[in-house]
Structure formats: structure tokens, C-alpha cells
Amino acid sequence: MVRPGLRIAVFGAGYIGLVTGACLAELGHRVVVRDIDPEKVRLLRSGDVPIYEPGLGDMIARNKERLTFTLDVQETLNGAEVVYVCVDTPPSASGDADLSRVWSVVRSLEAASHLRAVVVKSTVPVGTGARVRAALDAAGLGHVGYAANPEFTAEGRAVEDFLHPDRVVIGADDDATAALISELHTGVDGPVVVMDVRSAEMAKLASNALLATKISFINEIATLCEKTGADVEDVARAVGMDHRLGHHFLRPGIGWGGSCFPKDSEALRQLASNTGYHLQMLSAVIEVNNLQKRRAIQRLKDELGTLAGARVALLGMTFKPGTDDMREAPSTVLAGRLLAEGAEVRCWDPMARPAEAEPWTWTTRHESPRSAVEGADAAILVTDWPQLKEVDWAQAASVMRRPVFFDGRNLLDPAVMRSLGFTYISVGRP
């Protein structure tokens, strides 16, 4: 049984590491989170959370007696019984996951004979656990258990998803390790599903790939609706009422982004390629998503005639509302394509933190949606922030040079927007 106040070491203070560390501290464990970024650790020690995630800052503050942050590996491992690996695994030049940070953590454990288990929460290719297991054995840590515990949290509700999950997946090849990690989650309101390590690794990739498939599917149906005069909103509502299918992820738009769907879909496709198998359906899912953003630009070109010299406002920059995450955000592709067409790009977002790199160095940031659209020839609603429902769109239309509006998330009412003078375009709606 897990004792109250078990000492846990978390490697990585990104979205997953911070949420994991804070939630485990909330469950009563003593947690040390280690990161290699001195500025990030400094901010966390001062009580300033460097990412936006609802409820996370309050949870970290509430558990400050059980939650500490460090740059030092030995401080992290001192007395630790369980290590969580929550580091990035970005795509490499070959398309495979770059596991260099995972291996750096594994190598740092060679003298930590007091450990009871190593848990990988990072998204890794199927078969990674077997390689880590072999490395631990070679380092004389054969007595240390190994588990895969993939995360299924969504940004914007990650704390809620950790504490009240649909399921906790634990992949372990021995009963003692499975029981240990299961007990660590005592207090979590959700079922625990135990399986072998390889199946747990695959479950993460398959889950995200299926969700991405639903989004790309409804986007393809939206395109067909545009060509036939059907309304994708009505179609999606009717389809989602089927209990076998459900409404989740049947919302058309300009495509998915973020840290998981693009990376995990590509990782699964690359995994299949490495075995000599071509995942035809998943390849099509990725292609549809890539085309969806470019279709938005083409529809603006069709309306304006040319984008050269046009002023275009991007309303929303993050890949979804409720987060400041810009990773694989559709706005990046839209901004890049607009600039390539010769347009002037203006942006608004309440939380985005874009990199100081192209395309963002060539755009202007505005404090409000109204300021962003003033004098613009067109606006694209990219992220469905709730603030955009409260905008005085009649006034916005009056200050635009040409009131062309592409609603990339079908957030607003077509009839109302057209009555206000907009040339209103949406996804899959007549």
C-alpha cells in the first residue's frame, strides 16, 4: 500500500509535469518537480505559474508545503520512491519521436537504487517501455518497477481531467508496480484500467488519432455541405444524437492544433511506417486537417479577389480557448499564408504568447477585437474565445474598410451578422 506523503519526483515542468506534480501534491504526496529552465524554476519558486491553466495556480499555492521546484537532479531524487517522466518528445528530423530528454532522465537514475518505480507519462512510441526496462536492468535497477501512465488531459481543463478522468491507464508488466501506481491515484475520481506496457503506449496514440479523425471527418462533411446547400450544424446535431457516435468532436472549423493531436497523429503514422504498414485513413485525416486552414485563405481570396495589400485581422491566436498555448495553432499557418499572399496581418488574443519569430514578427498585436478589425478588409475568427460573442459587431462592421468576416469556428449567428452588413462566411453552413 502507498503510504501518506509518498515522495515523488517529477521530471519536466511543462503542461503535463506541472499538472501531474500539483495534482499528486493535492492527493497528499510530497512532490519535487525538476526542470532544466532556470527562469521557469525561478518563477515557480516565487509562486508565478509560467503557463495558463485554470485552477493550476491556486492548486500550486495551496500545496506549497508539499510541492517544490528545482534544477538539481540529486535534490529531485533524494528520498524519492517514484519517478514520473513528463518531458517533451517532439518529432525528430526523421519524423520519429525525439526521446533524448527521456533518455537523459533515465541515465540520471543510475544511482537511485532506492526507487520503487519509474513511470513514463510522456507520449512515446510503442516499444519505448521495453527499451527503458532494459536500460534500468543494465544499470542494476532490475528491482525498480516500470509503468506507462499516459495522460489524457485537455488543455484548459487539465486539472479537472486529472482529478476526474474518464479513465486512468496504467501499463505495467508486473502486478506490484501496477498496484503501486494505482494506489498513487487514490482520491482520483475515475476508473483505473491496467494493461501491459505496450498496450498503454498504443492507447494514448490511438485515442488522439481517433479524436482527430472525428474532427477531420466533420470538416470534410462541412465542405460537402457547402457544395450541396446542406447545413453542417444540423447534420452534426443529427449524427451526434446517435448514442454510438456522440456529439463530442463533431464541430467543424479550420482544423485541429495543439501539442497532442498533430504530434501524436504523426507519431502513430510514423510508427506504422517503421513497421512497413501504411495507415491510409490516418494519412487522409492529417491531409484534410492541413488543407482546412488553406481553404480558409482561398475563400477569402475568392471574396476579395486578391490578398495583396489587404488588411486581415486574425481574431484568436491560441489553438483553443482557455489556454495560452500556441503549439501547432492554426493561426500560425493562417498568418504565414496571408503574409505570403502580400496581406497585412493584425491579431487579437487575450492570452496568446507567440514566439518572437516568423510569422508573428511581421504581424501587429491589438488589445481588442475592435482595434484589430478597424480599417481591415476582412477578419477571420480563428479561436472561439467567449469574448467574441460580446463584441459590438455592428460597430465593428462600421469601422472596417470591407466588412468581410470568415467565422472559422461557426461561433456567431449567420443571419445576425449579415443583417449587420457583413459578408459572412462560415464552415459548412449555407
Side-chain angles (χ1 to χ4, degrees), residues 342-387:
E344 173 192 330
V345 180
R346 303 169 167 204
C347 306
W348 167 84
D349 192 284
M351 309 219 61
R353 301 180 187 181
E356 293 183 5
E358 293 189 6
W360 302 114
T361 50
W362 297 97
T363 67
T364 56
R365 185 83 174 264
H366 292 259
E367 292 297 318
S368 69
R370 186 201 177 283
S371 174
V373 303
E374 186 170 355
D377 297 285
I380 306 178
L381 193 156
V382 184
T383 313
D384 47 345
W385 285 101
Q387 294 94 315

Side-chain angles (χ1 to χ4, degrees), residues 236-264:
R237 183 166 64 253
V239 170
M241 291 175 73
D242 190 321
H243 71 277
R244 299 168 300 174
L245 302 172
H247 290 98
H248 294 300
F249 290 85
L250 284 181
R251 286 193 61 199
I254 48 179
W256 34 266
S259 62
C260 290
F261 285 3
K263 178 173 68 72
D264 293 355

Side-chain angles (χ1 to χ4, degrees), residues 400-422:
M400 290 181 71
R401 192 157 64 184
R402 292 182 62 182
V404 175
F405 194 98
F406 182 91
D407 189 344
R409 299 297 177 187
N410 290 0
L411 182 70
L412 306 175
D413 185 281
V416 170
M417 293 297 283
R418 291 186 181 115
S419 72
L420 297 176
F422 282 101

Side-chain angles (χ1 to χ4, degrees), residues 41-371:
V41 171
R42 185 192 68 78
L43 288 171
L44 288 166
R45 284 174 170 173
S46 68
D48 189 0
V49 181
I51 60 173
Y52 176 74
E53 185 63 43
L56 181 59
D58 291 341
M59 181 176 284
I60 288 175
R62 187 165 62 246
N63 291 283
K64 61 182 180 180
E65 298 301 321
R66 288 193 294 267
L67 184 60
T68 56
F69 304 94
T70 184
L71 293 164
D72 186 77
V73 172
Q74 293 310 312
E75 180 184 351
T76 309
L77 293 174
N78 184 31
E81 294 176 80
V82 178
V83 163
Y84 267 84
V85 182
C86 302
V87 295
D88 289 346
T89 55
S92 65
S94 67
D96 296 290
D98 181 354
L99 300 181
S100 58
R101 293 181 178 89
V102 173
W103 290 116
S104 178
V105 175
V106 172
R107 286 192 295 271
S108 72
L109 306 179
E110 292 181 354
S113 59
H114 54 279
L115 290 175
R116 296 174 64 187
V118 174
V119 183
V120 169
K121 209 164 188 67
S122 302
T123 302
V124 296
V126 178
T128 300
R131 295 170 59 199
V132 174
R133 175 72 273 168
L136 293 173
D137 292 345
L141 300 175
H143 62 286
V144 177
Y146 177 84
N149 177 216
E151 56 86 18
F152 296 97
T153 54
E155 288 182 35
R157 51 166 296 134
V159 171
E160 176 71 14
D161 284 347
F162 188 102
L163 296 176
H164 304 279
D166 293 327
R167 74 289 200 201
V168 177
V169 173
I170 298 172
D173 293 328
D174 68 274
D175 293 340
T177 301
L180 173 65
I181 307 309
S182 180
E183 287 292 331
L184 267 179
H185 289 82
T186 298
V188 168
D189 179 25
V192 174
V193 183
V194 177
M195 59 191 69
D196 64 90
V197 171
R198 289 176 183 267
S199 296
E201 293 168 339
M202 181 64 84
K204 165 63 174 177
L205 298 173
S207 178
N208 278 348
L210 182 55
L211 294 177
T213 298
K214 291 187 72 173
I215 298 172
S216 285
F217 175 79
I218 200 62
N219 279 334
E220 286 234 277
I221 295 299
T223 300
L224 193 56
C225 285
E226 291 167 11
K227 296 183 180 299
T228 60
D231 188 324
V232 73
E233 300 289 324
D234 290 337
V235 173
R237 183 166 64 253
V239 170
M241 291 175 73
D242 190 321
H243 71 277
R244 299 168 300 174
L245 302 172
H247 290 98
H248 294 300
F249 290 85
L250 284 181
R251 286 193 61 199
I254 48 179
W256 34 266
S259 62
C260 290
F261 285 3
K263 178 173 68 72
D264 293 355
S265 297
E266 288 287 359
L268 188 58
R269 181 164 68 168
Q270 187 66 35
L271 175 67
S273 296
N274 291 342
T275 68
Y277 183 69
H278 176 58
L279 284 175
Q280 298 182 60
M281 182 180 292
L282 185 57
S283 294
V285 166
I286 295 168
E287 182 182 357
V288 168
N289 191 64
N290 291 338
L291 287 173
Q292 197 69 6
K293 309 173 192 68
R294 288 163 173 77
R295 286 190 69 250
I297 301 302
Q298 185 59 50
R299 294 185 74 185
L300 277 192
K301 286 181 68 176
D302 293 342
E303 188 62 42
L304 297 176
T306 180
L307 291 172
R311 295 175 182 170
V312 181
L314 297 182
L315 303 179
M317 299 161 67
T318 58
F319 84 96
K320 64 182 288 188
T323 179
D324 58 0
D325 196 348
M326 291 288 296
R327 287 177 290 181
E328 300 291 338
S331 62
T332 303
V333 175
L334 295 174
R337 286 301 310 137
L338 287 167
L339 290 167
E341 294 282 348
E344 173 192 330
V345 180
R346 303 169 167 204
C347 306
W348 167 84
D349 192 284
M351 309 219 61
R353 301 180 187 181
E356 293 183 5
E358 293 189 6
W360 302 114
T361 50
W362 297 97
T363 67
T364 56
R365 185 83 174 264
H366 292 259
E367 292 297 318
S368 69
R370 186 201 177 283
S371 174

